[in-house]
Amino acid sequence: MTTTAPSWRARTTDLVLPPQQRRSLDDLSTDLDLSSGDHVSKRSAFWTMLTLSAVIAAAGVLADSTATVIGAMIIAPLSTPIMGVALGVAQRRSRVTAGSLVNTVLGGTLVVLVGVLFALALPATYDLDGNTQITGRVSPGLLDLVAAVATGFAGAVGLARKDVAAVLPGVAIAISLVPPLAVVGVCAGQGRLDLAVGALLLFVSNLLALVLAGTLVYTALELDREARSDRPSRRRAYATIGGLLLVVATVLAANTAGTVLVEVWTARARAAAEQWVAGTPEVEVTGVQLTSTTAVVQVRTDGVVPSTDELVALLEDGAWLPDLTVYVETTEGRRIPAGQMGG
């Protein structure tokens, strides 16, 4: 009697998810489905911890404190319903998928509202653009998506195996869920919708990466043996999630290209600014900041500032910049309008 050798897929699954270390369907459902078992206690714990993590995240973001934001990541339970969506898709259980998706949306909305409330207490002079916890989350790129997919697989495998649960706190830190939503609320509350959209894009890309990775891992566990005849529907779910991820990846790729272009422009603008002050030893260029509408040349000076008309001309000739309003900002706190490029 001959035996058929296991396929490469089965061998890979057994290597990543050894049969003796796999958690049961009941265990995973207990952890990820907030409507199963003692659902009252589960939901109480989920909403309590999510509210606290939202407050900690918003406070950490506004205080520009990395340690505080990491603390919010560790206790944030938002990945539970997201992985519940993945489990529901893998099992072909629409009730679990829909319920987990509703909890994810409501939970995300709660975090955003907490961020808005914090924003309402900010002084009018608060500088969102100078906060690294905000600026680091409003311009996601392809590398963020790659990291999110890898983190999603790490989280799904960590949940599916009995022997690697210790990695889950690290996964919570690596995947950015609650902090970007807190940034969305803070920026929206301050009227900075451009920054809010960027942070929301980061959250959505992380969410889709988690769902896709989790669905693939839980399907590899063959948790849906009773629904094998419904494979076409599962493929449609894969196609939908993958298509959404592709759309997000396209946006992130464009954002990455824009970031690279801004860096190139910044380097050229600094070279032009240094040429502008070359004949004035009392003035030193300390930095150049570009946004969508302005170029700010930061200088250290004892009060002498060369003609700003020459600066604008050099920027137009050498930096290949779009039409921007140019300012010169001194270490004394003065912001001098230099002119309009292309005007």
Side-chain angles (χ1 to χ4, degrees):
M1 180 176 178
T2 60
T3 58
T4 303
S7 65
W8 66 268
R9 182 180 300 175
R11 291 196 299 271
T12 302
T13 300
D14 289 342
L15 178 64
V16 177
L17 302 167
Q20 68 274 18
Q21 295 296 342
R22 297 180 188 180
R23 300 182 68 202
S24 68
L25 171 60
D26 289 339
D27 288 341
L28 286 173
S29 295
T30 297
D31 287 347
L32 301 178
D33 183 6
L34 296 179
S35 63
S36 68
D38 187 2
H39 59 88
V40 175
S41 296
K42 283 185 180 181
R43 289 171 177 168
S44 172
F46 173 77
W47 290 110
T48 299
M49 296 307 294
L50 183 61
T51 302
L52 292 173
S53 68
V55 171
I56 294 170
V61 165
L62 293 177
D64 204 355
S65 171
T66 300
T68 304
V69 172
I70 289 175
M73 292 178 181
I74 293 176
I75 70 170
L78 196 55
S79 61
T80 297
I82 293 175
M83 282 300 186
V85 173
L87 183 64
V89 173
Q91 294 181 259
R92 299 297 304 134
R93 293 174 63 189
S94 58
R95 180 191 61 80
V96 174
T97 302
S100 297
L101 189 58
V102 168
N103 285 324
T104 299
V105 172
L106 292 179
T109 302
L110 170 66
V111 178
V112 171
L113 291 177
V114 169
V116 171
L117 290 176
F118 270 76
L120 295 178
L122 290 177
T125 56
Y126 189 88
D127 182 16
L128 296 178
D129 294 310
N131 186 316
T132 59
Q133 295 299 324
I134 292 176
T135 57
R137 291 182 170 88
V138 297
S139 185
L142 280 178
L143 288 180
D144 294 294
L145 183 60
V146 172
V149 171
T151 304
F153 277 110
V157 170
L159 287 168
R161 288 182 59 153
K162 303 174 184 177
D163 57 342
V164 292
V167 308
L168 294 179
V171 171
I173 296 173
I175 194 69
S176 200
L177 295 173
V178 167
L181 289 174
V183 172
V184 171
V186 168
C187 294
Q190 287 284 294
R192 292 296 303 275
L193 297 183
D194 56 330
L195 300 182
V197 170
L200 182 61
L201 180 61
L202 175 61
F203 170 76
V204 171
S205 65
N206 289 343
L207 183 152
L208 291 174
L210 278 175
V211 172
L212 181 61
T215 301
L216 292 173
V217 170
Y218 299 144
T219 300
L221 285 173
E222 296 185 354
L223 297 176
D224 59 335
R225 292 186 181 92
E226 72 279 4
R228 285 189 166 200
S229 61
D230 204 12
R231 286 184 184 274
S233 295
R234 193 176 63 200
R235 291 195 188 100
R236 284 195 293 272
Y238 286 158
T240 301
I241 297 170
L244 291 173
L245 200 62
L246 180 61
V247 171
V248 171
T250 302
V251 175
L252 293 180
N255 194 55
T256 300
T259 300
V260 171
L261 190 58
V262 168
E263 290 178 355
V264 171
W265 282 344
T266 301
R268 290 175 175 170
R270 176 146 191 165
E274 289 176 347
Q275 182 181 350
W276 169 59
V277 302
T280 312
E282 301 87 359
V283 183
E284 177 187 358
V285 176
T286 59
V288 174
Q289 291 184 344
L290 298 180
T291 66
S292 58
T293 59
T294 62
V296 179
V297 177
Q298 300 165 324
V299 298
R300 182 183 293 112
T301 177
D302 59 2
V304 177
V305 176
S307 170
T308 56
D309 292 339
E310 182 183 353
L311 171 62
V312 173
L314 287 170
L315 287 173
E316 289 179 333
D317 292 341
W320 300 355
L321 291 170
D323 293 345
L324 297 174
T325 302
V326 182
Y327 294 92
V328 175
E329 189 173 79
T330 70
T331 50
E332 302 165 341
R334 289 189 298 155
R335 175 170 282 204
I336 305 168
Q340 177 74 38
M341 295 178 58

